[in-house]
Amino acid sequence: MNNNDFVNNVTTELAIRLANTEIERAKFKAQATELTKQNRELQKQLNDLKKQPAPANEATNDDEQGLPAK
């Protein structure tokens, strides 16, 4: 293999690797975006639950753990 063939092969291999890396980066970014969206939705649900008063007839977590009521 002469020097030009070697350079062409290396260049082709690097281009393929770069393309694959860009594809993986895009997948990772899409996954991160989706997880961020899910996180926001769960945080909103948690905040909504915190705003609701606890039913009087159900034990709270503190009661179940033997801690004094707040």
Short mmCIF file of all heavy atoms in Angstrom, two decimals:
data_model
loop_
_atom_site.label_atom_id
_atom_site.label_comp_id
_atom_site.label_asym_id
_atom_site.label_seq_id
_atom_site.Cartn_x
_atom_site.Cartn_y
_atom_site.Cartn_z
N MET A 1 0.85 -1.17 0.00
CA MET A 1 0.00 0.00 0.00
C MET A 1 0.90 1.24 0.00
O MET A 1 1.80 1.36 0.82
CB MET A 1 -0.89 -0.02 1.26
CG MET A 1 -1.73 1.22 1.38
SD MET A 1 -2.71 1.34 2.90
CE MET A 1 -3.70 -0.12 2.86
N ASN A 2 0.63 2.11 -0.94
CA ASN A 2 1.45 3.32 -0.98
C ASN A 2 0.90 4.36 -0.01
O ASN A 2 -0.15 4.18 0.59
CB ASN A 2 1.58 3.87 -2.42
CG ASN A 2 0.27 4.38 -2.97
OD1 ASN A 2 -0.57 4.87 -2.23
ND2 ASN A 2 0.10 4.28 -4.29
N ASN A 3 1.62 5.42 0.12
CA ASN A 3 1.29 6.46 1.09
C ASN A 3 -0.07 7.10 0.81
O ASN A 3 -0.84 7.36 1.74
CB ASN A 3 2.40 7.50 1.10
CG ASN A 3 2.46 8.26 2.40
OD1 ASN A 3 2.00 7.76 3.42
ND2 ASN A 3 3.01 9.46 2.37
N ASN A 4 -0.39 7.35 -0.45
CA ASN A 4 -1.67 7.97 -0.80
C ASN A 4 -2.85 7.06 -0.44
O ASN A 4 -3.88 7.54 0.06
CB ASN A 4 -1.73 8.31 -2.28
CG ASN A 4 -0.90 9.54 -2.63
OD1 ASN A 4 -0.60 10.35 -1.75
ND2 ASN A 4 -0.51 9.65 -3.89
N ASP A 5 -2.72 5.77 -0.70
CA ASP A 5 -3.78 4.82 -0.34
C ASP A 5 -3.98 4.79 1.17
O ASP A 5 -5.11 4.77 1.66
CB ASP A 5 -3.45 3.41 -0.84
CG ASP A 5 -3.52 3.29 -2.35
OD1 ASP A 5 -4.20 4.15 -2.98
OD2 ASP A 5 -2.92 2.35 -2.89
N PHE A 6 -2.89 4.80 1.89
CA PHE A 6 -2.96 4.79 3.34
C PHE A 6 -3.69 6.04 3.86
O PHE A 6 -4.57 5.96 4.70
CB PHE A 6 -1.56 4.69 3.95
CG PHE A 6 -1.55 4.74 5.44
CD1 PHE A 6 -1.99 3.66 6.19
CD2 PHE A 6 -1.13 5.88 6.11
CE1 PHE A 6 -1.99 3.69 7.56
CE2 PHE A 6 -1.14 5.94 7.49
CZ PHE A 6 -1.57 4.85 8.22
N VAL A 7 -3.30 7.19 3.32
CA VAL A 7 -3.93 8.45 3.74
C VAL A 7 -5.42 8.42 3.40
O VAL A 7 -6.26 8.84 4.20
CB VAL A 7 -3.22 9.66 3.10
CG1 VAL A 7 -4.02 10.93 3.30
CG2 VAL A 7 -1.82 9.81 3.65
N ASN A 8 -5.77 7.93 2.21
CA ASN A 8 -7.17 7.83 1.82
C ASN A 8 -7.95 6.90 2.74
O ASN A 8 -9.08 7.21 3.14
CB ASN A 8 -7.30 7.37 0.37
CG ASN A 8 -6.94 8.46 -0.61
OD1 ASN A 8 -7.00 9.65 -0.29
ND2 ASN A 8 -6.54 8.06 -1.82
N ASN A 9 -7.36 5.77 3.09
CA ASN A 9 -8.03 4.82 3.99
C ASN A 9 -8.23 5.42 5.38
O ASN A 9 -9.29 5.26 5.98
CB ASN A 9 -7.22 3.52 4.09
CG ASN A 9 -7.32 2.68 2.83
OD1 ASN A 9 -8.20 2.89 2.00
ND2 ASN A 9 -6.41 1.74 2.69
N VAL A 10 -7.21 6.09 5.88
CA VAL A 10 -7.31 6.71 7.21
C VAL A 10 -8.36 7.82 7.18
O VAL A 10 -9.19 7.93 8.10
CB VAL A 10 -5.94 7.25 7.67
CG1 VAL A 10 -6.10 8.13 8.90
CG2 VAL A 10 -4.98 6.11 7.95
N THR A 11 -8.37 8.62 6.13
CA THR A 11 -9.34 9.70 6.01
C THR A 11 -10.76 9.15 5.95
O THR A 11 -11.66 9.67 6.62
CB THR A 11 -9.04 10.54 4.75
OG1 THR A 11 -7.72 11.03 4.82
CG2 THR A 11 -10.01 11.69 4.62
N THR A 12 -10.96 8.10 5.20
CA THR A 12 -12.28 7.47 5.09
C THR A 12 -12.72 6.92 6.44
O THR A 12 -13.86 7.12 6.87
CB THR A 12 -12.26 6.34 4.05
OG1 THR A 12 -11.89 6.90 2.77
CG2 THR A 12 -13.62 5.68 3.92
N GLU A 13 -11.81 6.23 7.12
CA GLU A 13 -12.13 5.67 8.44
C GLU A 13 -12.48 6.77 9.44
O GLU A 13 -13.43 6.64 10.20
CB GLU A 13 -10.95 4.83 8.95
CG GLU A 13 -11.15 4.25 10.33
CD GLU A 13 -12.26 3.21 10.40
OE1 GLU A 13 -12.57 2.59 9.37
OE2 GLU A 13 -12.80 3.03 11.51
N LEU A 14 -11.72 7.84 9.44
CA LEU A 14 -12.00 8.95 10.35
C LEU A 14 -13.34 9.61 10.03
O LEU A 14 -14.08 10.00 10.94
CB LEU A 14 -10.88 9.97 10.31
CG LEU A 14 -9.55 9.52 10.95
CD1 LEU A 14 -8.48 10.58 10.72
CD2 LEU A 14 -9.73 9.24 12.42
N ALA A 15 -13.67 9.73 8.76
CA ALA A 15 -14.95 10.32 8.37
C ALA A 15 -16.11 9.44 8.83
O ALA A 15 -17.12 9.95 9.33
CB ALA A 15 -15.00 10.51 6.85
N ILE A 16 -15.95 8.14 8.72
CA ILE A 16 -16.99 7.21 9.18
C ILE A 16 -17.15 7.31 10.69
O ILE A 16 -18.26 7.38 11.21
CB ILE A 16 -16.64 5.76 8.75
CG1 ILE A 16 -16.78 5.62 7.23
CG2 ILE A 16 -17.53 4.75 9.47
CD1 ILE A 16 -16.21 4.33 6.69
N ARG A 17 -16.02 7.34 11.40
CA ARG A 17 -16.08 7.45 12.85
C ARG A 17 -16.72 8.77 13.29
O ARG A 17 -17.51 8.80 14.23
CB ARG A 17 -14.68 7.34 13.46
CG ARG A 17 -14.11 5.94 13.39
CD ARG A 17 -12.78 5.88 14.09
NE ARG A 17 -12.16 4.59 13.94
CZ ARG A 17 -11.07 4.22 14.58
NH1 ARG A 17 -10.47 5.05 15.42
NH2 ARG A 17 -10.56 3.02 14.38
N LEU A 18 -16.40 9.84 12.61
CA LEU A 18 -16.99 11.14 12.93
C LEU A 18 -18.50 11.12 12.70
O LEU A 18 -19.27 11.61 13.53
CB LEU A 18 -16.33 12.24 12.10
CG LEU A 18 -16.89 13.65 12.30
CD1 LEU A 18 -16.71 14.10 13.75
CD2 LEU A 18 -16.23 14.63 11.35
N ALA A 19 -18.92 10.54 11.60
CA ALA A 19 -20.35 10.45 11.30
C ALA A 19 -21.06 9.64 12.38
O ALA A 19 -22.14 10.03 12.86
CB ALA A 19 -20.57 9.84 9.92
N ASN A 20 -20.48 8.53 12.78
CA ASN A 20 -21.09 7.69 13.82
C ASN A 20 -21.15 8.43 15.15
O ASN A 20 -22.12 8.33 15.90
CB ASN A 20 -20.33 6.38 13.97
CG ASN A 20 -20.53 5.44 12.80
OD1 ASN A 20 -21.50 5.57 12.06
ND2 ASN A 20 -19.62 4.52 12.61
N THR A 21 -20.10 9.19 15.43
CA THR A 21 -20.08 9.97 16.67
C THR A 21 -21.16 11.04 16.66
O THR A 21 -21.83 11.27 17.67
CB THR A 21 -18.68 10.61 16.86
OG1 THR A 21 -17.70 9.57 16.91
CG2 THR A 21 -18.61 11.42 18.13
N GLU A 22 -21.35 11.68 15.53
CA GLU A 22 -22.39 12.70 15.42
C GLU A 22 -23.78 12.09 15.58
O GLU A 22 -24.65 12.69 16.21
CB GLU A 22 -22.28 13.43 14.07
CG GLU A 22 -21.10 14.37 13.99
CD GLU A 22 -21.19 15.50 15.00
OE1 GLU A 22 -22.28 16.08 15.17
OE2 GLU A 22 -20.17 15.79 15.64
N ILE A 23 -23.97 10.89 15.05
CA ILE A 23 -25.26 10.20 15.21
C ILE A 23 -25.49 9.89 16.68
O ILE A 23 -26.59 10.13 17.21
CB ILE A 23 -25.30 8.92 14.35
CG1 ILE A 23 -25.35 9.28 12.85
CG2 ILE A 23 -26.47 8.03 14.73
CD1 ILE A 23 -25.11 8.12 11.92
N GLU A 24 -24.48 9.36 17.36
CA GLU A 24 -24.61 9.04 18.78
C GLU A 24 -24.85 10.30 19.61
O GLU A 24 -25.63 10.28 20.56
CB GLU A 24 -23.36 8.30 19.28
CG GLU A 24 -23.23 6.90 18.74
CD GLU A 24 -24.42 6.01 19.10
OE1 GLU A 24 -24.86 6.03 20.26
OE2 GLU A 24 -24.91 5.32 18.19
N ARG A 25 -24.20 11.39 19.25
CA ARG A 25 -24.39 12.66 19.97
C ARG A 25 -25.83 13.14 19.82
O ARG A 25 -26.46 13.58 20.78
CB ARG A 25 -23.42 13.71 19.44
CG ARG A 25 -23.49 15.04 20.20
CD ARG A 25 -22.72 16.14 19.50
NE ARG A 25 -23.31 16.50 18.23
CZ ARG A 25 -24.37 17.29 18.07
NH1 ARG A 25 -24.97 17.80 19.12
NH2 ARG A 25 -24.85 17.56 16.88
N ALA A 26 -26.36 13.02 18.62
CA ALA A 26 -27.74 13.44 18.38
C ALA A 26 -28.72 12.57 19.17
O ALA A 26 -29.69 13.08 19.74
CB ALA A 26 -28.06 13.38 16.88
N LYS A 27 -28.46 11.27 19.22
CA LYS A 27 -29.32 10.37 20.00
C LYS A 27 -29.25 10.73 21.48
O LYS A 27 -30.27 10.75 22.18
CB LYS A 27 -28.89 8.92 19.81
CG LYS A 27 -29.23 8.34 18.46
CD LYS A 27 -28.73 6.90 18.38
CE LYS A 27 -28.94 6.29 17.03
NZ LYS A 27 -28.39 4.92 16.97
N PHE A 28 -28.05 10.99 21.97
CA PHE A 28 -27.87 11.35 23.37
C PHE A 28 -28.59 12.65 23.69
O PHE A 28 -29.25 12.76 24.72
CB PHE A 28 -26.37 11.47 23.67
CG PHE A 28 -26.08 11.85 25.10
CD1 PHE A 28 -26.14 10.91 26.11
CD2 PHE A 28 -25.74 13.16 25.42
CE1 PHE A 28 -25.88 11.26 27.42
CE2 PHE A 28 -25.47 13.51 26.73
CZ PHE A 28 -25.54 12.56 27.73
N LYS A 29 -28.49 13.62 22.80
CA LYS A 29 -29.15 14.90 23.02
C LYS A 29 -30.67 14.73 23.05
O LYS A 29 -31.35 15.31 23.90
CB LYS A 29 -28.74 15.89 21.93
CG LYS A 29 -29.32 17.28 22.13
CD LYS A 29 -28.82 18.25 21.09
CE LYS A 29 -29.43 19.62 21.32
NZ LYS A 29 -28.99 20.59 20.32
N ALA A 30 -31.21 13.92 22.15
CA ALA A 30 -32.65 13.67 22.12
C ALA A 30 -33.09 12.97 23.40
O ALA A 30 -34.13 13.31 23.98
CB ALA A 30 -33.02 12.83 20.90
N GLN A 31 -32.30 12.02 23.86
CA GLN A 31 -32.63 11.32 25.10
C GLN A 31 -32.57 12.27 26.29
O GLN A 31 -33.45 12.25 27.16
CB GLN A 31 -31.67 10.15 25.31
CG GLN A 31 -31.99 9.30 26.51
CD GLN A 31 -31.02 8.16 26.69
OE1 GLN A 31 -29.89 8.19 26.19
NE2 GLN A 31 -31.44 7.14 27.40
N ALA A 32 -31.57 13.11 26.33
CA ALA A 32 -31.44 14.08 27.42
C ALA A 32 -32.61 15.06 27.41
O ALA A 32 -33.15 15.40 28.47
CB ALA A 32 -30.12 14.83 27.30
N THR A 33 -33.04 15.48 26.25
CA THR A 33 -34.18 16.38 26.13
C THR A 33 -35.45 15.71 26.65
O THR A 33 -36.22 16.31 27.40
CB THR A 33 -34.37 16.82 24.67
OG1 THR A 33 -33.18 17.48 24.23
CG2 THR A 33 -35.55 17.76 24.51
N GLU A 34 -35.65 14.46 26.27
CA GLU A 34 -36.84 13.72 26.72
C GLU A 34 -36.80 13.51 28.24
O GLU A 34 -37.82 13.67 28.92
CB GLU A 34 -36.92 12.37 26.00
CG GLU A 34 -38.13 11.54 26.40
CD GLU A 34 -39.46 12.19 26.08
OE1 GLU A 34 -39.55 12.99 25.14
OE2 GLU A 34 -40.44 11.89 26.80
N LEU A 35 -35.65 13.16 28.77
CA LEU A 35 -35.54 12.96 30.22
C LEU A 35 -35.73 14.26 30.98
O LEU A 35 -36.33 14.27 32.08
CB LEU A 35 -34.20 12.32 30.56
CG LEU A 35 -34.04 10.86 30.12
CD1 LEU A 35 -32.60 10.39 30.33
CD2 LEU A 35 -35.02 9.96 30.83
N THR A 36 -35.27 15.35 30.42
CA THR A 36 -35.49 16.66 31.06
C THR A 36 -36.98 16.98 31.09
O THR A 36 -37.50 17.47 32.10
CB THR A 36 -34.71 17.75 30.31
OG1 THR A 36 -33.32 17.43 30.34
CG2 THR A 36 -34.94 19.12 30.91
N LYS A 37 -37.66 16.69 30.00
CA LYS A 37 -39.11 16.91 29.94
C LYS A 37 -39.83 16.06 30.98
O LYS A 37 -40.70 16.55 31.71
CB LYS A 37 -39.62 16.57 28.53
CG LYS A 37 -41.10 16.76 28.35
CD LYS A 37 -41.51 16.37 26.94
CE LYS A 37 -43.02 16.37 26.79
NZ LYS A 37 -43.43 15.91 25.46
N GLN A 38 -39.45 14.78 31.07
CA GLN A 38 -40.06 13.90 32.07
C GLN A 38 -39.78 14.39 33.48
O GLN A 38 -40.64 14.34 34.36
CB GLN A 38 -39.54 12.47 31.90
CG GLN A 38 -40.06 11.76 30.68
CD GLN A 38 -39.46 10.38 30.52
OE1 GLN A 38 -38.76 9.88 31.39
NE2 GLN A 38 -39.72 9.75 29.39
N ASN A 39 -38.56 14.86 33.71
CA ASN A 39 -38.18 15.37 35.02
C ASN A 39 -39.06 16.57 35.40
O ASN A 39 -39.53 16.67 36.55
CB ASN A 39 -36.71 15.75 35.04
CG ASN A 39 -36.23 16.15 36.41
OD1 ASN A 39 -36.61 15.53 37.40
ND2 ASN A 39 -35.40 17.17 36.47
N ARG A 40 -39.27 17.48 34.46
CA ARG A 40 -40.13 18.64 34.73
C ARG A 40 -41.55 18.21 35.06
O ARG A 40 -42.18 18.76 35.97
CB ARG A 40 -40.14 19.58 33.53
CG ARG A 40 -38.88 20.38 33.38
CD ARG A 40 -39.02 21.42 32.27
NE ARG A 40 -37.72 21.97 31.95
CZ ARG A 40 -37.20 22.00 30.73
NH1 ARG A 40 -37.88 21.54 29.71
NH2 ARG A 40 -36.01 22.52 30.52
N GLU A 41 -42.07 17.24 34.31
CA GLU A 41 -43.43 16.76 34.56
C GLU A 41 -43.53 16.12 35.94
O GLU A 41 -44.50 16.35 36.67
CB GLU A 41 -43.84 15.76 33.47
CG GLU A 41 -44.06 16.41 32.12
CD GLU A 41 -44.29 15.39 31.00
OE1 GLU A 41 -44.41 14.18 31.30
OE2 GLU A 41 -44.35 15.82 29.84
N LEU A 42 -42.54 15.31 36.30
CA LEU A 42 -42.55 14.68 37.62
C LEU A 42 -42.41 15.70 38.74
O LEU A 42 -43.04 15.58 39.79
CB LEU A 42 -41.44 13.62 37.72
CG LEU A 42 -41.67 12.36 36.89
CD1 LEU A 42 -40.41 11.50 36.89
CD2 LEU A 42 -42.86 11.58 37.40
N GLN A 43 -41.58 16.72 38.51
CA GLN A 43 -41.43 17.78 39.51
C GLN A 43 -42.74 18.53 39.69
O GLN A 43 -43.13 18.84 40.82
CB GLN A 43 -40.32 18.75 39.07
CG GLN A 43 -39.96 19.76 40.13
CD GLN A 43 -39.32 19.13 41.35
OE1 GLN A 43 -38.49 18.25 41.23
NE2 GLN A 43 -39.72 19.56 42.52
N LYS A 44 -43.46 18.78 38.60
CA LYS A 44 -44.76 19.45 38.69
C LYS A 44 -45.74 18.58 39.46
O LYS A 44 -46.47 19.08 40.34
CB LYS A 44 -45.29 19.75 37.30
CG LYS A 44 -46.61 20.51 37.31
CD LYS A 44 -47.10 20.76 35.90
CE LYS A 44 -48.39 21.52 35.87
NZ LYS A 44 -49.50 20.88 36.54
N GLN A 45 -45.76 17.27 39.17
CA GLN A 45 -46.64 16.37 39.90
C GLN A 45 -46.30 16.35 41.39
O GLN A 45 -47.20 16.36 42.24
CB GLN A 45 -46.54 14.95 39.33
CG GLN A 45 -47.14 14.79 37.97
CD GLN A 45 -46.94 13.39 37.41
OE1 GLN A 45 -46.54 12.48 38.12
NE2 GLN A 45 -47.19 13.22 36.12
N LEU A 46 -45.03 16.34 41.71
CA LEU A 46 -44.60 16.34 43.10
C LEU A 46 -45.04 17.62 43.80
O LEU A 46 -45.57 17.58 44.91
CB LEU A 46 -43.08 16.19 43.19
CG LEU A 46 -42.48 16.18 44.58
CD1 LEU A 46 -43.01 15.01 45.39
CD2 LEU A 46 -40.96 16.12 44.49
N ASN A 47 -44.85 18.74 43.15
CA ASN A 47 -45.27 20.02 43.73
C ASN A 47 -46.79 20.06 43.93
O ASN A 47 -47.26 20.56 44.94
CB ASN A 47 -44.81 21.19 42.86
CG ASN A 47 -43.32 21.39 42.93
OD1 ASN A 47 -42.66 21.00 43.88
ND2 ASN A 47 -42.76 22.00 41.90
N ASP A 48 -47.54 19.52 42.97
CA ASP A 48 -48.99 19.46 43.10
C ASP A 48 -49.40 18.60 44.30
O ASP A 48 -50.31 18.94 45.04
CB ASP A 48 -49.65 18.94 41.82
CG ASP A 48 -49.55 19.91 40.66
OD1 ASP A 48 -49.25 21.11 40.91
OD2 ASP A 48 -49.77 19.49 39.51
N LEU A 49 -48.71 17.48 44.47
CA LEU A 49 -49.01 16.60 45.60
C LEU A 49 -48.67 17.26 46.93
O LEU A 49 -49.39 17.08 47.92
CB LEU A 49 -48.26 15.27 45.47
CG LEU A 49 -48.77 14.31 44.40
CD1 LEU A 49 -47.83 13.13 44.25
CD2 LEU A 49 -50.17 13.83 44.74
N LYS A 50 -47.59 18.03 46.94
CA LYS A 50 -47.20 18.71 48.17
C LYS A 50 -48.23 19.77 48.57
O LYS A 50 -48.41 20.04 49.74
CB LYS A 50 -45.84 19.38 48.01
CG LYS A 50 -44.69 18.42 48.03
CD LYS A 50 -43.36 19.15 47.86
CE LYS A 50 -42.18 18.22 47.88
NZ LYS A 50 -40.92 18.94 47.68
N LYS A 51 -48.91 20.34 47.59
CA LYS A 51 -49.90 21.38 47.85
C LYS A 51 -51.21 20.81 48.40
O LYS A 51 -51.96 21.52 49.05
CB LYS A 51 -50.19 22.17 46.58
CG LYS A 51 -49.04 23.03 46.13
CD LYS A 51 -49.37 23.72 44.82
CE LYS A 51 -48.18 24.48 44.28
NZ LYS A 51 -48.46 25.09 42.96
N GLN A 52 -51.46 19.53 48.14
CA GLN A 52 -52.71 18.92 48.59
C GLN A 52 -52.61 18.59 50.08
O GLN A 52 -51.59 18.08 50.53
CB GLN A 52 -52.99 17.63 47.82
CG GLN A 52 -53.28 17.84 46.36
CD GLN A 52 -53.49 16.51 45.64
OE1 GLN A 52 -53.42 15.45 46.23
NE2 GLN A 52 -53.74 16.59 44.34
N PRO A 53 -53.67 18.88 50.84
CA PRO A 53 -53.64 18.51 52.26
C PRO A 53 -53.73 16.99 52.41
O PRO A 53 -54.39 16.32 51.62
CB PRO A 53 -54.88 19.20 52.83
CG PRO A 53 -55.77 19.44 51.67
CD PRO A 53 -54.88 19.57 50.46
N ALA A 54 -53.04 16.48 53.43
CA ALA A 54 -53.08 15.04 53.68
C ALA A 54 -54.44 14.67 54.24
O ALA A 54 -54.99 15.39 55.07
CB ALA A 54 -51.99 14.66 54.66
N PRO A 55 -55.02 13.56 53.77
CA PRO A 55 -56.31 13.12 54.32
C PRO A 55 -56.16 12.85 55.82
O PRO A 55 -55.16 12.32 56.28
CB PRO A 55 -56.61 11.83 53.56
CG PRO A 55 -55.76 11.90 52.34
CD PRO A 55 -54.57 12.72 52.70
N ALA A 56 -57.19 13.19 56.60
CA ALA A 56 -57.13 13.07 58.05
C ALA A 56 -57.11 11.62 58.51
O ALA A 56 -56.57 11.30 59.56
CB ALA A 56 -58.32 13.79 58.67
N ASN A 57 -57.68 10.70 57.74
CA ASN A 57 -57.78 9.32 58.18
C ASN A 57 -56.60 8.45 57.74
O ASN A 57 -56.57 7.28 58.05
CB ASN A 57 -59.10 8.70 57.70
CG ASN A 57 -59.20 8.71 56.18
OD1 ASN A 57 -58.38 9.31 55.50
ND2 ASN A 57 -60.21 8.05 55.66
N GLU A 58 -55.65 8.99 57.02
CA GLU A 58 -54.50 8.21 56.58
C GLU A 58 -53.26 8.64 57.34
O GLU A 58 -53.08 9.81 57.67
CB GLU A 58 -54.26 8.40 55.07
CG GLU A 58 -55.33 7.77 54.22
CD GLU A 58 -54.98 7.86 52.74
OE1 GLU A 58 -53.80 8.04 52.42
OE2 GLU A 58 -55.90 7.75 51.92
N ALA A 59 -52.39 7.68 57.62
CA ALA A 59 -51.15 7.97 58.33
C ALA A 59 -50.19 8.68 57.39
O ALA A 59 -50.14 8.39 56.19
CB ALA A 59 -50.52 6.69 58.84
N THR A 60 -49.43 9.60 57.93
CA THR A 60 -48.41 10.25 57.14
C THR A 60 -47.13 9.44 57.25
O THR A 60 -47.03 8.52 58.06
CB THR A 60 -48.14 11.68 57.65
OG1 THR A 60 -47.64 11.59 58.97
CG2 THR A 60 -49.40 12.54 57.61
N ASN A 61 -46.14 9.78 56.46
CA ASN A 61 -44.86 9.08 56.53
C ASN A 61 -44.24 9.21 57.91
O ASN A 61 -43.63 8.28 58.41
CB ASN A 61 -43.89 9.63 55.48
CG ASN A 61 -44.25 9.17 54.08
OD1 ASN A 61 -44.96 8.18 53.92
ND2 ASN A 61 -43.78 9.87 53.07
N ASP A 62 -44.40 10.36 58.54
CA ASP A 62 -43.84 10.56 59.88
C ASP A 62 -44.47 9.59 60.87
O ASP A 62 -43.78 9.00 61.69
CB ASP A 62 -44.03 12.00 60.35
CG ASP A 62 -43.17 12.98 59.56
OD1 ASP A 62 -42.22 12.50 58.91
OD2 ASP A 62 -43.45 14.19 59.59
N ASP A 63 -45.79 9.43 60.78
CA ASP A 63 -46.49 8.52 61.68
C ASP A 63 -46.01 7.09 61.50
O ASP A 63 -45.82 6.35 62.45
CB ASP A 63 -48.00 8.58 61.46
CG ASP A 63 -48.60 9.92 61.87
OD1 ASP A 63 -47.95 10.63 62.68
OD2 ASP A 63 -49.67 10.26 61.37
N GLU A 64 -45.82 6.70 60.24
CA GLU A 64 -45.39 5.34 59.95
C GLU A 64 -43.99 5.08 60.46
O GLU A 64 -43.65 3.96 60.81
CB GLU A 64 -45.45 5.08 58.44
CG GLU A 64 -46.87 5.07 57.89
CD GLU A 64 -46.90 5.03 56.37
OE1 GLU A 64 -45.82 5.04 55.76
OE2 GLU A 64 -48.00 5.00 55.82
N GLN A 65 -43.16 6.09 60.52
CA GLN A 65 -41.78 5.93 60.97
C GLN A 65 -41.65 6.13 62.47
O GLN A 65 -40.56 6.07 63.00
CB GLN A 65 -40.88 6.92 60.24
CG GLN A 65 -40.82 6.67 58.75
CD GLN A 65 -40.04 7.75 58.02
OE1 GLN A 65 -39.45 8.62 58.64
NE2 GLN A 65 -40.04 7.69 56.71
N GLY A 66 -42.75 6.37 63.16
CA GLY A 66 -42.70 6.56 64.59
C GLY A 66 -42.20 7.93 65.00
O GLY A 66 -41.78 8.13 66.12
N LEU A 67 -42.24 8.88 64.06
CA LEU A 67 -41.79 10.23 64.37
C LEU A 67 -42.98 11.06 64.83
O LEU A 67 -44.11 10.79 64.45
CB LEU A 67 -41.15 10.87 63.13
CG LEU A 67 -39.93 10.16 62.56
CD1 LEU A 67 -39.51 10.79 61.25
CD2 LEU A 67 -38.78 10.19 63.55
N PRO A 68 -42.73 12.05 65.65
CA PRO A 68 -43.84 12.90 66.09
C PRO A 68 -44.43 13.66 64.90
O PRO A 68 -43.74 13.99 63.96
CB PRO A 68 -43.20 13.86 67.09
CG PRO A 68 -41.74 13.78 66.84
CD PRO A 68 -41.46 12.45 66.20
N ALA A 69 -45.74 13.90 65.00
CA ALA A 69 -46.43 14.64 63.94
C ALA A 69 -45.95 16.06 63.91
O ALA A 69 -45.55 16.62 64.92
CB ALA A 69 -47.95 14.57 64.17
N LYS A 70 -46.01 16.67 62.75
CA LYS A 70 -45.54 18.05 62.58
C LYS A 70 -46.58 19.02 63.07
O LYS A 70 -47.72 18.87 62.96
CB LYS A 70 -45.21 18.33 61.11
CG LYS A 70 -44.04 17.51 60.65
CD LYS A 70 -43.79 17.80 59.17
CE LYS A 70 -42.63 16.93 58.68
NZ LYS A 70 -42.39 17.06 57.31
#
